[in-house]
Amino acid sequence: MSNVIVAAPAEIGVANNRSSTVEMAGRWNQGPVFASVASGNYLYFGSSGTVRVVAVEKDGSGNAVAWEEVASIQTDGVVRDMILRDDHLYIADGSGWLRLVNIKNPTKPKLSGKLALDSEIKAIHIENDRVYIAAGWKGIHIIDVSKPHKPELIDSFPSKGYSLDLVVKEGIAYVAAGHDAGLQISDLSNPSEAKALGSHPIAGSASGIDTNGRHVFVVNMDDHEPSLSIFDVSDKENPIQVAAAPLEYGAERVRIDGNLAYVAGVANDAGLIVIDVADPANPQKLGAWWDSTCSESVTIDNQIAYLAHGDQGLEVLDVRKPHEPTVIKHFAAAGHVRGIDTQGEYAFIANGYRGLKVVDVTDSTNPKDISELKTYRALDVDVAGPFVHVADDWAGYKLIDVSDPHNPVEIASLDTPGYAEGIQVNGHYAYIADGEGGLRILNVSNPKQPVEVAAVALGGYAYEVSVQNDIAFVAAGKAGLVAVNVSIPTSPIILDSYKFSERKFEARGVEIKGAHAYLAAGYMGLLVVDITSPNDLKSAGIFESKWRANNVSLFGDRAYLIDSASIKVLDISNPEAPVHIGDHTLPANAARIHANEEGIYVAGMESGLLIFEQ
């Protein structure tokens, strides 16, 4: 399935009478699954900026026997959460929107109304005619949806901590409030007089919450005390913890159905965990379905568990035997798009836990899936002839033959000691920015047998590497920009480093043009470094960004800077004075950007691949 959003032209800031028009031309709009909801014979789940609608065929006993995708609903941002009430689907959009979609005819969903909230949206709950949104640092938004065509914000309540999940029962809000704030309880029955009632600390980050009325169930993520914590909330001002079912690492979400708690686990708890809570003071683990990839949320409908499985997609599990949850259907989705390179009509995508994805971008308004090859966790790619070289996170280096783009084949791999974040190939050598492992240099002249020939400790976390004229320039986090002489790849020599002691400084991406390096420098923005003498790196210019600069790409006299919120377009005809000439808001954080004569390709992580025209 491939969905494309064609955007209206962006509003562009203008400086010194120069402007740059950057328009989204197309979008490979697949991505990880964070939320799902089911009712009757239909299933709805988010996949990046799309809600996929699935008709479920059931037999005479009510067992699901077949699934067919029948419609889709597009959103600007990433679908974070959803709830369904009567004929309306309420979609929490990561770009800050609440959308109400009429699904009286699920095959022809229609937008009823929407509301811009100008905040993060982490979770959503509905009671009567009010929608409640967990909004991070903004606390809780309370929205009147009695008129679906015109939802109205009633008020916002600044709940303590960072609101990650919430559930509301008879006007009382129970909030999983992140690190330190734990469980927060508030009376929202009269929004104009909302008040905090009680709270209880929880180790680590309280991330998911649900209630059966008398008890509240909270899951957390923590290195030391991960658990499903159970509280008696009969006295709202003084909640009492009655039990804690230990977990190995923790979970994102919990849902209660009857006497069972269904937990969407992460890390060592990844997958689905079923816990008997009939006796809240003595919870008992019944069974689990484990997978190496973290889960995001779970919803239950008629003894079927719908597990939002992040990069892997959606798992549909039969939980009639809670000791043995069984997958009965899998819907594939894309991963977090982390890196991008192009060659000819193809874009090669480092697609997180989904591995390498090949997409035909001949028509940028209609990108088409070609093939996929699973790897551990692809973070960056570099295409050289018939090969794609992959920086594969913890698994190190992968070499993939794409001489037939429809049938990519892994032909070699080599583990590295760190986390392979970035990669560039130059001649017979591959240079890997290996996180804490520094710079690793591989001889790949024999494609079937890559050999590490040298390593360089950098004193920082290596995010990206760019090689020019026998010098490898590494964006090495707090260690700054490090210049390494690789004229003899087996004997690399550090020449100099460029860094700031400023707390906001972090070298995360680097591109080279002529005598200058352009550094995506975290919350300092874009730094231009004079590399005329690699033994003596000097400051040349700066563009300050409000948000964290993650990556940069150059084409002509333009620099395209990815920050946490947008693409910033800079005129760098004078490298010592970059001029902001335009920008385009992104639907979610982005990892990397790649500009060439065909267009601008953004690795949009959970929002997929975004393609812009210059």
Side-chain angles (χ1 to χ4, degrees):
M1 177 180 168
S2 180
N3 296 295
V4 177
I5 292 177
V6 180
E11 293 183 3
I12 301 298
V14 179
N16 296 342
N17 296 320
R18 287 173 286 187
S19 64
S20 175
T21 56
V22 179
E23 299 180 18
M24 188 185 294
R27 179 175 174 185
W28 183 70
N29 196 26
Q30 294 191 37
V33 177
F34 294 111
S36 64
V37 65
S39 180
N41 292 322
Y42 288 92
L43 161 68
Y44 306 83
F45 67 96
S47 179
S48 183
T50 300
V51 175
R52 293 159 65 173
V53 184
V54 178
V56 183
E57 181 183 340
K58 298 182 179 180
D59 63 17
S61 300
N63 299 314
V65 295
W67 292 262
E68 180 187 3
E69 293 196 32
V70 294
S72 64
I73 304 162
Q74 294 178 342
T75 65
D76 290 337
V78 175
V79 177
R80 290 294 178 189
D81 201 3
M82 292 185 294
I83 49 176
L84 195 154
R85 175 65 61 85
D86 298 326
D87 291 333
H88 281 89
L89 185 66
Y90 300 79
I91 302 170
D93 180 332
S95 64
W97 287 87
L98 170 68
R99 285 182 167 80
L100 283 66
V101 178
N102 187 316
I103 52 167
K104 189 171 184 178
N105 181 350
T107 64
K108 295 181 180 180
K110 295 180 180 180
L111 180 68
S112 292
K114 60 183 180 178
L115 178 67
L117 294 168
D118 190 30
S119 72
E120 296 179 284
I121 294 179
K122 296 298 182 181
I124 184 172
H125 187 86
I126 189 169
E127 187 179 51
N128 300 323
D129 288 331
R130 290 178 183 170
V131 161
Y132 301 85
I133 288 178
W137 295 118
K138 292 288 185 69
I140 304 170
H141 295 314
I142 308 167
I143 299 161
D144 183 347
V145 292
S146 58
K147 299 177 181 178
H149 66 283
K150 191 179 180 181
E152 294 185 1
L153 178 65
I154 300 173
D155 209 341
S156 296
F157 181 68
S159 180
K160 184 179 179 182
Y162 187 78
S163 299
L164 284 170
D165 194 16
L166 85 170
V167 60
V168 181
K169 190 78 169 178
E170 297 178 353
I172 305 298
Y174 304 92
V175 180
H179 283 283
D180 302 323
L183 167 65
Q184 297 290 319
I185 305 174
S186 301
D187 184 349
L188 305 182
S189 55
N190 184 351
S192 63
E193 298 179 3
K195 60 181 179 179
L197 295 178
S199 65
H200 198 288
I202 297 174
S205 177
S207 55
I209 193 166
D210 203 359
T211 185
N212 62 6
R214 171 68 181 273
H215 292 89
V216 164
F217 305 80
V218 184
V219 289
N220 70 328
M221 291 184 286
D222 185 54
D223 290 334
H224 305 293
E225 299 179 65
S227 67
L228 166 65
S229 297
I230 304 174
F231 298 89
D232 184 327
V233 292
S234 51
D235 180 352
K236 306 295 188 290
E237 296 184 0
N238 295 287
I240 299 172
Q241 184 167 349
V242 298
L247 301 171
E248 284 193 58
Y249 184 78
E252 287 276 6
R253 291 287 189 267
V254 58
R255 287 295 173 259
I256 304 300
D257 189 55
N259 291 325
L260 299 177
Y262 297 89
V263 174
V266 299
N268 295 336
D269 291 305
L272 177 70
I273 302 168
V274 186
I275 300 173
D276 186 337
V277 293
D279 179 1
N282 187 31
Q284 298 291 319
K285 180 178 176 180
L286 298 180
W289 176 81
W290 189 87
D291 184 89
S292 59
T293 306
C294 298
S295 301
E296 302 290 343
S297 69
V298 60
T299 186
I300 310 297
D301 182 64
N302 195 30
Q303 294 186 296
I304 299 293
Y306 298 90
L307 188 68
H309 199 194
D311 288 14
Q312 300 293 3
L314 182 78
E315 310 294 350
V316 184
L317 297 102
D318 185 337
V319 290
R320 287 176 294 182
K321 296 179 180 179
H323 291 86
E324 299 177 8
T326 304
V327 174
I328 55 176
K329 179 66 176 177
H330 169 77
F331 289 92
H336 286 61
V337 177
R338 299 293 297 267
I340 176 75
D341 199 7
T342 58
Q343 183 171 274
E345 65 265 41
Y346 298 109
F348 299 88
I349 298 171
N351 197 23
Y353 287 111
R354 296 298 299 180
L356 174 70
K357 171 70 76 172
V358 184
V359 177
D360 187 330
V361 291
T362 305
D363 179 359
S364 62
T365 66
N366 187 27
K368 296 179 180 179
D369 282 7
I370 296 297
S371 60
E372 179 180 83
L373 180 67
K374 196 174 188 310
T375 68
Y376 171 70
R377 187 175 181 235
L379 299 183
D380 195 20
V381 291
D382 193 13
V383 186
F387 300 113
V388 174
H389 302 259
V390 180
D392 205 33
D393 196 15
W394 177 81
Y397 168 78
K398 295 285 196 302
L399 183 61
I400 298 173
D401 185 338
V402 290
S403 52
D404 177 5
H406 294 266
N407 185 35
V409 178
E410 181 180 323
I411 59 174
S413 64
L414 189 148
D415 196 5
T416 59
Y419 297 87
E421 292 270 357
I423 189 166
Q424 183 174 335
V425 177
N426 193 18
H428 294 307
Y429 294 91
Y431 299 84
I432 298 175
D434 195 42
E436 294 174 349
L439 175 67
R440 322 302 293 193
I441 303 176
L442 278 56
N443 186 327
V444 294
S445 56
N446 180 356
K448 294 185 178 180
Q449 193 172 358
V451 178
E452 182 174 291
V453 297
V456 184
L458 302 170
Y461 191 94
Y463 285 100
E464 191 170 48
V465 57
S466 183
V467 182
Q468 177 174 288
N469 298 329
D470 291 331
I471 306 295
F473 295 91
V474 186
K478 293 294 185 181
L481 177 66
V482 182
V484 183
N485 187 327
V486 292
S487 56
I488 304 176
T490 56
S491 300
I493 301 170
I494 291 180
L495 300 176
D496 195 14
S497 63
Y498 170 86
K499 62 181 179 179
F500 282 88
S501 59
E502 165 63 51
R503 182 177 59 86
K504 297 188 296 183
F505 173 78
E506 184 182 27
R508 299 181 64 90
V510 59
E511 278 273 294
I512 308 298
K513 181 183 180 183
H516 294 91
Y518 295 81
L519 194 64
Y523 287 99
M524 290 193 72
L526 178 74
L527 298 180
V528 185
V529 182
D530 187 334
I531 58 171
T532 304
S533 174
N535 295 285
D536 185 22
L537 303 178
K538 297 179 180 179
S539 176
I542 184 171
F543 167 77
E544 296 184 8
S545 173
K546 178 182 177 182
W547 307 105
R548 187 181 71 185
N550 292 327
N551 199 242
V552 62
S553 185
L554 310 176
F555 185 75
D557 61 356
R558 298 285 187 267
Y560 300 92
L561 182 72
I562 288 289
D563 64 19
S564 301
S566 65
I567 303 173
K568 294 285 189 295
V569 185
L570 307 174
D571 186 326
I572 55 170
S573 52
N574 179 2
E576 296 182 0
V579 177
H580 178 214
I581 57 173
D583 57 19
H584 194 292
T585 300
L586 296 173
N589 285 350
R592 282 187 168 84
I593 185 166
H594 172 74
N596 61 22
E597 63 276 2
E598 300 297 330
I600 303 162
Y601 302 84
V602 175
M605 296 186 68
E606 57 205 25
S607 61
L609 170 67
L610 295 85
I611 305 173
F612 294 83
E613 294 179 342
Q614 300 188 59

